[in-house]
Amino acid sequence: MVVTFRNIHNWVSAGYADQVYAAAYKALKPGGILGVEEHRAKPGTLLQESIKTGYMSEDGVIAAVEKVGFKLLDKSEINANPKDTKDYVGGVWALPPTLRQGQKDRQRILAIGESDRMTLKFIKPK
């Protein structure tokens, strides 16, 4: 099993996300699982906006991971946060735990909590 938590936006920004997915695929035996938890963008968010805000398109992540051979096995809303409007100055980093805006709107931001996140389970086919 390979799991990743809130890393994909960094990999995409650095230009090596596809290499990470391919390395995970190579490391796993058939039937192996890749678990992904990542900040979820609003549907239709463009890649450049995702890089700027840290919120990734769920459809885009699924397509990129499946491109190397994984198959989406399941999704969960366990890390969903409907309070997250995804439109903050400073992107996802405005929310806890980073609180990039410091004291500005702190109580409002704390009331929102952490980001809305996708939780995805992929399998390497047998």
Side-chain angles (χ1 to χ4, degrees):
M1 177 180 285
V2 174
V3 293
T4 181
F5 305 93
R6 302 180 225 184
N7 290 308
I8 293 175
H9 61 282
N10 294 315
W11 300 339
V12 169
S13 177
Y16 54 76
D18 292 341
Q19 292 167 298
V20 174
Y21 307 142
Y25 190 85
K26 183 178 179 183
L28 290 169
K29 295 177 183 177
I33 300 296
L34 171 64
V36 171
E37 185 247 12
E38 178 61 55
H39 311 289
R40 179 172 33 207
K42 293 177 182 177
T45 300
L46 299 176
L47 185 59
Q48 288 305 315
E49 184 67 16
S50 288
I51 290 169
K52 180 178 150 191
T53 65
Y55 289 98
M56 301 302 300
S57 156
E58 186 169 319
D59 289 344
V61 170
I62 292 169
V65 173
E66 286 188 331
K67 188 171 107 176
V68 300
F70 285 104
K71 298 298 176 203
L72 181 66
L73 190 61
D74 204 0
K75 297 182 186 186
S76 173
E77 291 299 308
I78 195 166
N79 292 302
N81 180 359
K83 294 180 187 176
D84 181 4
T85 57
K86 309 170 188 185
D87 59 357
Y88 317 103
V89 173
V92 71
W93 304 280
L95 297 175
T98 307
L99 298 169
R100 184 177 275 175
Q101 301 300 316
Q103 295 301 315
K104 183 179 178 188
D105 294 328
R106 187 177 184 89
Q107 291 310 310
R108 181 181 72 85
I109 295 295
L110 287 173
I112 293 165
E114 293 195 25
S115 67
D116 175 48
R117 295 183 307 276
M118 63 183 97
T119 304
L120 309 172
K121 182 179 182 181
F122 296 90
I123 189 167
K124 180 176 180 175
K126 293 184 179 184

